[in-house]
Amino acid sequence: MIAGGGAIGSLLRYGIALAQIRLTAWPGWVGILLANLLGCLLMGLAAGVNPTSPWLRGLAMAGFCGGLTTFSAFALDLAFLCLTRAWRQAAACVGLSVVGGVGLVVLGLYTATWLSPTDRRSLYVPVPQGLRNGGVAQVLVGEGDKVTGGQWSCPL
Amino acid sequence: MTGFATVVGVAVGGGCGALLRGFIEHAAAPAGVPSWAAILGVNLLGCVLIGYLIVWLEVRLHRAGESRLARHPRGQRLAHVPGLLAPDPTLPPTEIARARSRLRVESGLLFTGLLGGLTTFSAFGLDLVSLMQGGLFVTAGVNLGLSVLGGAAGVVLGLEVGLLAHGRRQP
């Protein structure tokens, strides 16, 4: 499932980068930036929806979003921008990627939480280390003094 | 034909890269390595590899004098490679076209596909958000700094290793 999602995501990124170079006069790193930002938004949405099936998690999160986004091309563009002394573009590339990426992950998380039915809303609690990939923790979830659930599946 | 082969290469490479990252992530969790460190390690590995591979691939296949390495400050060390910094006059146009299409297919398979699928930005962003939600701002800052500076430095390291392996010391 991860491989299938990664293949589809990589193809979409290739398409985005190609379309950006063909259709616009912007420098080449903008296409990678767009693919990364789109992947961050989708990753936030997927983490907020918090699918329980490990197959679906692998397909959507590690596979599709992971394949759609890339770090190596971002770092390669950044290194070449620095080597050619294009400092302003390098700063724009880093700033837009990091701030935009984090912002879109948060936006995706909140949108997915807002859209999902009230009883399925995931609670934003610190993620214990080593509790990834759908690990389940015993926690108390509730409003006020009314406990509504005792099991929490890690959304991240 | 080149376009189709490139698309297949991107899909196959992306699938293999994502699968490899999935295996590393799943192996890291029981070993006690936090997820952000596993993603950081995979991303840095991909950065060093892309730096080396771009030298390797362009030295082998760039015969039209349009190499990205011409913009590298030490790119002149590759001046002895025919066709890298200036078009190769000895080659017939058909050979240049063939090398160009091989470069497209192979960079699609290796860069866009394999390394693009291996490294990820979305998991990095999600880890940053989850670390900050957990109040671990110092860890988030370390992750951010190591990723961005380490990634760029990793690419430069890979480029330098490639230049050492394929370049000639300047007289």
Side-chain angles (χ1 to χ4, degrees), chain A residues 32-146:
Chain A
I32 300 296
L33 171 72
L34 289 178
N36 278 346
L37 292 184
L38 179 64
C40 279
L41 177 65
L42 294 177
M43 188 66 144
L45 281 173
V49 169
N50 190 15
T52 41
S53 148
W55 296 103
L56 196 57
R57 296 181 78 85
L59 177 71
M61 295 169 78
F64 181 74
C65 290
L68 177 58
T69 61
T70 177
F71 202 87
S72 52
F74 161 73
L76 183 70
D77 286 335
L78 183 63
F80 268 108
L81 287 175
C82 289
L83 286 174
T84 50
R85 305 273 188 275
W87 300 118
R88 209 176 289 179
Q89 280 192 59
C93 181
V94 173
L96 287 175
S97 293
V98 172
V99 176
V102 169
L104 284 173
V105 167
V106 173
L107 179 70
L109 273 171
Y110 276 89
T111 309
T113 312
W114 178 64
L115 286 176
S116 62
T118 322
D119 58 327
R120 285 208 55 220
R121 277 185 189 174
S122 50
L123 207 68
Y124 293 115
V125 292
V127 179
Q129 292 296 340
L131 230 184
R132 253 192 120 210
N133 297 320
V136 173
Q138 298 292 327
V139 291
L140 295 178
V141 181
E143 278 179 75
D145 50 356
K146 202 178 104 198

Side-chain angles (χ1 to χ4, degrees), chain A residues 13 62 69 71-72 132 156, chain B residues 21 25 35 112 119-121 130:
Chain A
R13 170 163 42 82
T69 61
F71 202 87
S72 52
R132 253 192 120 210
L156 299 173
Chain B
R21 172 164 41 81
E25 255 190 282
S35 65
T112 314
T119 61
T120 176
F121 200 88
S130 100

Side-chain angles (χ1 to χ4, degrees), chain B residues 1-12:
Chain B
M1 199 56 215
T2 306
F4 180 70
T6 312
V7 166
V8 171
V10 169
V12 171

Side-chain angles (χ1 to χ4, degrees), chain B residues 92-136:
Chain B
T94 48
E95 282 300 310
I96 290 183
R98 186 171 297 167
R100 251 189 204 162
S101 84
R102 273 190 66 188
L103 185 73
R104 244 182 89 189
V105 175
E106 290 189 22
S107 71
L109 174 71
L110 291 174
F111 296 156
T112 314
L114 188 66
L115 292 178
L118 177 68
T119 61
T120 176
F121 200 88
S122 54
F124 162 69
L126 190 61
D127 281 334
L128 272 187
V129 171
S130 100
L131 286 173
M132 286 195 283
Q133 276 179 343
L136 301 169

Side-chain angles (χ1 to χ4, degrees), chain B residues 32-43:
Chain B
V33 180
S35 65
W36 65 267
I39 295 291
L40 173 67
V42 167
N43 279 345

